[in-house]
């Protein structure tokens, strides 16, 4: 007989339920009891006869994935356990098997964290706007008696995933590029060698050993300091390109042949142009902190650029509504309609390598047509009352065009900025773009004075 599922306290869930997923410090904020309760609630909410579960390499992963699976089985669902997986492998499994899924990961967060990313059957998004609030509410009920006793079985989907990822490129067009990949002891060290096996690349993997304590550097490639080792190795080996993956390997950032970091906007523009050439005219999505150049490139390639809010659940829903074949985020997430509208750093990386192979020019030259403006990067500021600060900034620029699609976006003509509240941390995030670095510095100083 399956043991009763302990109801979770609302204040516990308030700490760990984020806009797109569930995340917290293990085990003080998010431990096996919470994972079991969420697994049960997910099983009840989805009404599925079977769910698929994967986990990353964090030391708590086995216990947490087991607890989640036990909760789902208490709700009457069977569980397909795919074991170690990148998040895009879990999304592939959900789409391939057409069943809801759960990935036990805290992505780029430090070792003391763990988390749960959920999706519906077919890798459909689950966030606060489409199911996560209801799942949390079920988990707090006091009558969590087992609805049944499902069974768990293991299944290896890595080979099927490799075939799927490779289907996005023509392997015959790939050149023997020299590639360095920094997988930061994360799940990229598991999936990338399998995808690259037998391809013509000369690929060196940095920190490929799976180690959820992250002994070399944090698995957060959006932070410049975490690219230093990769940049040095690209230069030392004369590599054509560097690839940097985050902890669950759903994001990728590039480093060019000169060791310079490539923004997510430039890769979004490259992949968007490629997808439009393949699919023909149609909508392409980009989130509102992408460079203005992204929308320009999409339009020049015959597409219709569509601005979206930041975040995967919003973007996946908008892709379904518009029929877009691709969407990109400045933060390194790249979504493909033929990948169940889910994001995959590996697919984006392979497409970039195919384009680099065909162009037969250095990566910096390939990307130069998209590098049109200077950017501040993301500047994070802690403030006591974010709403009041955003209102103050909006009033200051009241004569300029504004929108509130996600936070505040102000269009200054030859410059623009977005100021929004983080969905995962108590921060205001500023992204600003202008014609040159001097203008960026001037405008950032101007706005920072308003944040104080």
């Amino acid at each position: 007989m399956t043991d009763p599922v302990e109801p979770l306290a609302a204040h516990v869930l308030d700490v760990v339920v984020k806009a797109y997923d569930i995340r917290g410090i293990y085990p003080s904020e998010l431990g096996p009891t919470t994972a079991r309760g969420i697994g049960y609630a997910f099983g009840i909410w989805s009404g599925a006869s079977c769910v698929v579960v994967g986990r990353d390499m964090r030391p708590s992963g086995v216990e947490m994935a087991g607890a989640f699976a036990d909760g789902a089985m208490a709700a009457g669902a069977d569980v397909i356990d795919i074991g170690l997986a990148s998040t895009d492998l879990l999304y592939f499994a959900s789409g391939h098997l057409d069943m809801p899924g759960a990935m036990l990961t805290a992505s780029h967060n430090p070792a003391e964290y763990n988390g749960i990313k959920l999706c519906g059957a077919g890798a459909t998004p689950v966030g606060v706007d489409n199911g996560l609030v209801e799942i949390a509410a079920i988990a707090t009920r006091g009558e969590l008696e087992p609805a049944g006793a499902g069974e768990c079985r293991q299944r290896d989907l890595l080979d099927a995933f490799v075939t799927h990822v490779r289907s996005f490129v023509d392997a015959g067009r790939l050149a023997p590029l020299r590639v360095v990949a920094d997988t930061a002891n994360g799940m990229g060290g598991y999936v990338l060698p399998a995808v690259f096996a037998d391809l013509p690349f000369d690929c060196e993997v940095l920190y490929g050993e799976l180690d959820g304590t992250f002994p070399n550097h944090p698995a957060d490639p959006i932070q410049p300091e975490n690219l230093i080792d990769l940049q040095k190795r690209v230069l030392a080996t004369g590599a054509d390109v560097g690839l940097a993956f985050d902890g669950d390997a759903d994001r990728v950032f590039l480093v060019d042949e000169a060791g310079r970091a490539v923004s997510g906007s430039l890769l979004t523009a490259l992949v968007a142009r490629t997808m439009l050439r393949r699919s023909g005219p149609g909508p392409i999505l980009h989130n509102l902190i992408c460079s203005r150049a992204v929308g320009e490139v999409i339009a020049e390639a015959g597409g219709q650029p569509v601005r979206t809010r930041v975040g995967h659940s919003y973007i996946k829903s908008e892709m379904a509504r518009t029929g877009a074949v691709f969407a990109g985020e400045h933060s390194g997430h790249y979504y493909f309609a033929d990948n169940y509208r889910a994001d995959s750093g590996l697919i984006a990386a392979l497409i970039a390598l195919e384009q680099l192979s065909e162009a037969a020019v250095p990566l910096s030259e390939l990307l130069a047509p998209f590098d049109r403006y200077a950017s501040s990067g993301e500047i994070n500021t802690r403030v006591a009352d974010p709403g009041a600060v955003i209102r103050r900034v909006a009033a200051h620029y009241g004569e300029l065009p504004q929108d509130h699609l996600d936070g505040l976006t102000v269009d200054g003509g030859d410059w623009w900025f977005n100021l929004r509240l983080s969905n995962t941390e108590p921060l205001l995030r500023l992204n600003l773009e202008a014609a040159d670095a001097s203008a960026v510095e001037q405008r950032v100083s101007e706005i920072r004075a308003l944040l104080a």
Side-chain angles (χ1 to χ4, degrees):
M1 178 67 180
T2 303
D3 293 334
V5 180
E6 181 180 337
L8 303 178
H11 69 86
V12 171
L13 293 178
D14 287 344
V15 172
V16 299
V17 174
K18 311 299 182 182
Y20 319 127
D21 61 9
I22 296 153
R23 204 172 297 192
I25 296 172
Y26 170 88
S28 60
E29 295 177 347
L30 181 62
T33 299
T34 303
R36 187 169 187 261
I38 293 168
Y40 175 87
F42 184 61
I44 295 295
W45 173 82
S46 68
S49 60
C50 192
V51 301
V52 58
V53 177
R55 60 179 172 85
D56 71 12
M57 65 292 133
R58 292 169 187 270
S60 58
V62 172
E63 180 184 29
M64 291 288 286
F68 182 95
D70 187 63
M73 289 186 288
D78 291 335
V79 170
I80 301 292
D81 178 9
I82 63 171
L84 284 168
S86 59
T87 290
D88 54 354
L89 171 49
L90 185 279
Y91 288 150
F92 164 76
S94 172
H96 181 67
L97 301 174
D98 195 26
M99 63 180 61
M103 177 68 188
L104 278 293
T105 181
S107 184
H108 63 279
N109 282 114
E112 62 267 26
Y113 284 79
N114 210 324
I116 310 169
K117 294 183 177 181
L118 301 171
C119 62
T124 55
V126 173
V128 293
D129 290 340
N130 41 18
L132 200 49
V133 171
E134 291 80 4
I135 292 166
I138 293 170
T140 62
R141 291 178 186 166
E143 67 276 7
L144 302 186
E145 287 299 321
E151 298 180 351
C152 181
R153 58 187 185 276
Q154 279 73 43
R155 185 165 177 180
D156 186 350
L157 288 176
L158 182 59
D159 288 346
F161 175 67
V162 167
T163 299
H164 171 69
V165 171
R166 289 186 178 187
S167 72
F168 284 81
V169 300
D170 181 349
R173 296 186 176 186
L174 300 176
L177 301 172
R178 179 171 290 179
V179 180
V180 180
D182 184 344
T183 59
N185 299 108
M187 291 310 304
Y190 178 69
V191 293
L192 182 139
V195 170
F196 278 27
D198 303 323
L199 296 180
F201 307 131
D202 175 6
C203 184
E204 176 185 356
V205 179
L206 296 181
Y207 313 134
E209 306 82 7
L210 303 185
D211 188 340
T213 67
F214 306 113
N216 294 289
H217 63 72
D220 186 6
I222 203 169
Q223 303 301 329
E225 62 269 23
N226 296 328
L227 295 176
I228 292 173
D229 290 353
L230 177 61
Q231 292 168 316
K232 289 180 177 178
R233 193 61 185 163
V234 166
L235 291 173
T237 61
D240 297 295
V241 60
L243 308 175
F245 292 88
D246 66 346
D248 59 338
D250 60 350
R251 287 190 298 154
V252 69
F253 285 88
L254 272 55
V255 168
D256 73 13
E257 79 287 348
R260 294 172 299 215
V262 173
S263 83
S265 288
L266 296 190
L267 184 53
T268 294
L270 176 65
V271 177
R273 188 182 69 176
T274 303
M275 300 305 292
L276 284 167
R277 287 175 174 175
R278 294 177 181 178
S279 65
I284 299 288
L285 277 52
H286 61 95
N287 74 14
L288 50 67
I289 63 172
C290 280
S291 169
R292 183 175 281 173
V294 173
E296 294 171 352
V297 170
I298 292 168
E300 291 160 6
Q304 293 87 53
V306 179
R307 291 170 71 245
T308 74
R309 296 172 63 183
V310 172
H312 77 96
S313 61
Y314 310 124
I315 288 176
K316 291 173 183 175
S317 297
E318 192 69 2
M319 287 183 76
R321 186 187 70 81
T322 62
V325 297
F326 172 69
E329 291 197 270
H330 186 73
S331 58
H333 290 281
Y334 308 99
Y335 307 79
F336 301 87
D338 289 340
N339 188 47
Y340 311 102
R341 292 188 287 270
D343 46 325
S344 173
L346 269 172
I347 292 173
L350 262 190
I351 290 174
L353 292 174
E354 182 187 43
Q355 293 301 299
L356 186 58
S357 297
E358 292 182 348
V361 298
L363 181 59
S364 59
E365 187 174 334
L366 176 63
L367 296 175
F370 313 137
D371 193 6
R372 304 176 181 181
Y373 305 101
S375 170
S376 67
E378 190 157 81
I379 299 171
N380 295 312
T381 306
R382 292 183 181 272
V383 297
D385 189 342
V389 171
I390 289 177
R391 288 191 294 273
R392 183 165 69 242
V393 174
H396 182 84
Y397 294 105
E399 295 183 358
L400 297 178
Q402 302 181 4
D403 72 61
H404 297 272
L405 176 64
D406 190 350
L408 169 69
T409 301
V410 174
D411 185 351
D414 59 353
W415 67 285
W416 65 270
F417 72 88
N418 173 265
L419 186 65
R420 66 184 182 89
L421 182 63
S422 167
N423 287 304
T424 57
E425 301 173 83
L427 301 169
L428 277 180
R429 304 194 189 279
L430 170 66
N431 286 269
L432 186 145
E433 190 173 61
D436 54 49
S438 175
V440 167
E441 183 178 359
Q442 174 191 342
R443 294 298 184 180
V444 166
S445 296
E446 187 178 290
I447 294 168
R448 274 182 155 167
L450 297 171
L451 302 184

